[in-house]
Amino acid sequence: MKLDDLNWKILKCLQDNARQSNAEIGRKVGITSPAVAERIKKMEDLGIIEGYKTMVSPYGVQYQLKAIITLRAFMGKLKPFLERVVKYDEVVNCYRVTGNENIVMEVILHDHTHLEKFIDQLITYGECKTQIILSEVVKYNPIKRKINF
């Protein structure tokens, strides 16, 4: 499905605030509420809209640290790690990547002791590098129309 201007406007509205009503979105983009609902449903069915989530601040629920941890898996340890990583509560995002490291994780932790214990679990799978996040420069940047070069 090629997204037209109207679908892009609807996506922008949803990315700005997914809790707004279809009527409100319709007023913003210039179509009826049922037409908005139909377009949203089609984008959901096609997998363009993957879901709706509540974004929770880790700091608001007693986590004090956010970090990026990269892992360079030991020989034969990548597959076991991929099976295990989905069970770590600390991991909020995990990516398998190219380059020297195999894995990049975004993690949340209560404090430096929690970080140390978590790293102790990870080092059985490979070599870790940790970077503590000081601040977020870009957060939840909406996906925009394809950029033409």
Side-chain angles (χ1 to χ4, degrees):
M1 171 184 184
K2 184 171 167 63
L3 295 178
D4 63 14
D5 288 342
L6 215 41
N7 284 341
W8 277 109
K9 288 176 183 176
I10 292 169
L11 285 174
K12 181 182 181 331
C13 289
L14 289 171
Q15 289 180 99
D16 289 345
N17 177 6
R19 293 189 65 179
Q20 61 190 307
S21 69
N22 290 343
E24 188 175 342
I25 294 170
R27 281 191 293 278
K28 291 177 181 176
V29 303
I31 60 175
T32 66
S33 175
V36 170
E38 183 180 319
R39 284 175 175 263
I40 289 173
K41 175 77 169 109
K42 187 169 187 178
M43 288 189 284
E44 290 170 345
D45 291 346
L46 292 171
I48 294 167
I49 296 173
E50 295 180 338
Y52 305 87
K53 295 185 181 226
T54 299
M55 308 311 294
V56 176
S57 167
Y59 306 111
V61 290
Q62 309 310 307
Y63 289 93
Q64 299 300 313
L65 294 175
K66 283 180 80 173
I68 300 295
I69 299 177
T70 59
L71 177 83
R72 183 177 184 182
F74 296 139
M75 185 73 72
K77 292 289 189 169
L78 181 59
K79 188 173 180 182
F81 174 79
L82 293 173
E83 292 168 359
R84 177 66 177 107
V85 71
V86 297
K87 297 177 182 142
Y88 287 128
D89 292 337
E90 294 88 350
V91 177
V92 293
N93 287 300
C94 180
Y95 305 96
R96 188 170 175 188
V97 298
T98 61
N100 290 331
E101 283 82 23
N102 308 95
I103 301 294
V104 175
M105 294 172 279
E106 179 184 352
V107 300
I108 55 173
L109 306 136
H110 294 293
D111 53 32
H112 69 280
T113 303
H114 187 185
L115 173 60
E116 183 178 14
K117 288 177 183 177
F118 185 64
I119 290 171
D120 288 346
Q121 294 176 61
L122 295 178
I123 59 175
T124 62
Y125 296 99
E127 179 185 327
C128 297
K129 293 181 185 173
T130 303
Q131 299 162 325
I132 294 179
I133 296 172
L134 299 176
S135 64
E136 296 170 330
V137 178
V138 176
K139 184 176 180 178
Y140 311 124
N141 196 16
I143 294 175
K144 299 171 184 85
R145 183 181 295 265
K146 182 179 167 185
I147 299 169
N148 296 317
F149 291 95

